[in-house]
């Protein structure tokens, strides 16, 4: 189950999936305790699914819009970060660099 699949579902459908996943986790824990569970990694997969569902529900509670078209994201990032000139990236004259050595001025 992927987050993108969950974000398109309605809130009641997410609630149903959450109940089903919690029930499945209960059954897996019971099988593990009895010794009938062959693959114990299923428990962590179901726990991650529950966390994903709860995350989507909380995003909706807070009003966070997490589903944005990839093209819009790329355009927004390009506008938000203007290119910096190369001179701005170099330390000023006489300023110590990270390793503690001062950059020597060229004569």
């Amino acid at each position: 189950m992927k987050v993108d699949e969950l974000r398109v579902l309605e809130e009641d459908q997410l609630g149903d999936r959450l109940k089903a996943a919690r029930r499945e986790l209960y059954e897996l824990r019971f099988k593990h305790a009895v010794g009938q569970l062959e693959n114990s990694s299923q428990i962590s997969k179901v726990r991650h699914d529950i966390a994903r569902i709860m995350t989507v529900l909380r995003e909706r509670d807070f009003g966070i819009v997490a589903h944005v078209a990839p093209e819009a994201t790329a355009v927004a990032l390009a506008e938000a970060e203007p290119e910096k000139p190369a001179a701005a990236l170099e330390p000023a004259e006489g300023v110590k660099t990270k390793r503690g050595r001062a950059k020597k001025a060229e004569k």
Side-chain angles (χ1 to χ4, degrees), residues 8-89:
V8 297
L9 297 176
E10 297 295 322
E11 199 163 326
D12 59 338
Q13 292 173 331
L14 286 172
D16 293 340
R17 287 213 180 181
L18 183 61
K19 286 180 184 179
R22 285 185 172 163
R23 178 67 184 179
E24 184 179 357
L25 181 62
Y26 172 78
E27 291 172 359
L28 288 172
R29 285 181 176 163
F30 186 78
K31 285 181 182 179
H32 183 68
V34 175
Q36 295 178 350
L37 187 63
E38 294 177 12
N39 187 3
S40 61
S41 67
Q42 291 175 334
I43 293 174
S44 62
K45 289 179 185 177
V46 173
R47 288 179 64 215
H48 284 126
D49 288 343
I50 291 171
R52 285 185 191 104
I53 294 168
M54 292 176 70
T55 299
V56 172
L57 288 171
R58 291 300 287 168
E59 284 175 348
R60 291 184 184 178
D61 287 345
F62 290 132
I64 298 172
V65 179
H67 185 41
V68 179
E71 301 90 303
T73 305
V75 171
L77 288 176
E79 292 174 358
E81 296 180 15
E83 291 185 25
K84 297 179 183 176
L89 297 176

